[in-house]
Amino acid sequence: MTEQAQVPAQKKRNWGVKIILILVAVLVAVAAYFILGAILPRWWSDVIAGQIRRDLGASVLVGMFYGFVFTFIPLLVAWQATRKAVSWPWKIAIVLVAVAIATPNLLTAGIVFGSTESAHAGQRTLSVDAGFFTTWTAISAVAAVVVFAAVTILWALWRRRGKQMKVLKQAENHRTRAAKNAEAQAQDTTPSA
């Protein structure tokens, strides 16, 4: 009986430890969110300002680069998760990788749409040191979505055309085989004179 009494007590302790670990993880995640929310917008705006150095032409080009590349590539990566051959754990991993690749655009969006003091400081830095960066990042991100949609549609049309061509070739092969068989049977049944 003492062995049976020890097992439920041990399970109860395991649940208590699990609950405490989950609470600690949640607290760490919340603290990290607020700490990173206070640090990342200022840091990212300083990085962009350092790359552009108040050059409006560079501001446009850098904004176009970040907006297009860090929208188009994550969409391509995330698109791989739609494949039937990929299992669910891998689909989640692929989407997380796509989000990680999109981090520069997410940081810029955090500055533009953020309401924290750090986001407002980042907005001021970008408006002074990188005048057109946010505008051209947004324009290029929209362009990347449009290009991705066009590529996706063209890819689907190409695959459908390929399937149709395969069906037509199979039908043609069946027709030619049937014609040859009919011709061979006609020759076999004709009386020789």
Side-chain angles (χ1 to χ4, degrees):
M1 279 238 182
T2 55
E3 288 178 18
Q4 291 177 351
Q6 289 176 352
V7 171
Q10 205 172 29
K11 285 185 179 179
K12 286 180 185 177
R13 277 187 264 149
N14 286 344
W15 277 104
V17 170
K18 289 178 184 177
I19 290 172
I20 290 172
L21 288 176
I22 290 171
L23 289 174
V24 168
V26 167
L27 289 174
V28 168
V30 169
Y33 172 78
F34 285 112
I35 291 170
L36 292 176
I39 295 171
L40 287 179
R42 289 178 196 229
W43 171 78
W44 183 244
S45 65
D46 289 340
V47 167
I48 295 301
Q51 290 177 356
I52 294 172
R53 297 185 188 139
R54 294 189 180 197
D55 181 6
L56 293 180
S59 179
V60 170
L61 292 176
V62 171
M64 289 173 68
F65 173 78
Y66 278 110
F68 191 86
V69 169
F70 293 105
T71 300
F72 187 74
I73 292 176
L75 288 173
L76 283 178
V77 171
W79 187 29
Q80 301 308 309
T82 63
R83 298 182 64 174
K84 292 178 185 175
V86 179
S87 63
W88 272 105
W90 286 107
K91 288 182 183 209
I92 293 169
I94 289 170
V95 170
L96 290 175
V97 167
V99 170
I101 295 170
T103 300
N105 283 349
L106 295 175
L107 290 171
T108 303
I111 291 171
V112 172
F113 300 115
S115 60
T116 63
E117 181 182 330
S118 181
H120 291 304
Q123 290 170 1
R124 286 188 298 274
T125 301
L126 289 180
S127 67
V128 171
D129 294 333
F132 296 126
F133 175 77
T134 55
T135 303
W136 282 98
T137 300
I139 291 169
S140 298
V142 170
V145 170
V146 169
V147 169
F148 175 76
V151 167
T152 305
I153 291 168
L154 290 174
W155 177 258
L157 291 173
W158 181 262
R159 287 187 54 115
R160 189 176 82 192
R161 181 186 169 277
K163 289 177 184 177
Q164 289 173 344
M165 291 300 293
K166 187 176 180 181
V167 168
L168 288 174
K169 284 181 182 180
Q170 288 175 348
E172 179 66 23
N173 288 338
H174 288 303
R175 188 188 65 74
T176 55
R177 271 193 238 126
K180 286 180 183 178
N181 288 340
E183 185 179 312
Q185 285 179 355
Q187 287 177 356
D188 288 342
T189 58
T190 53
S192 35

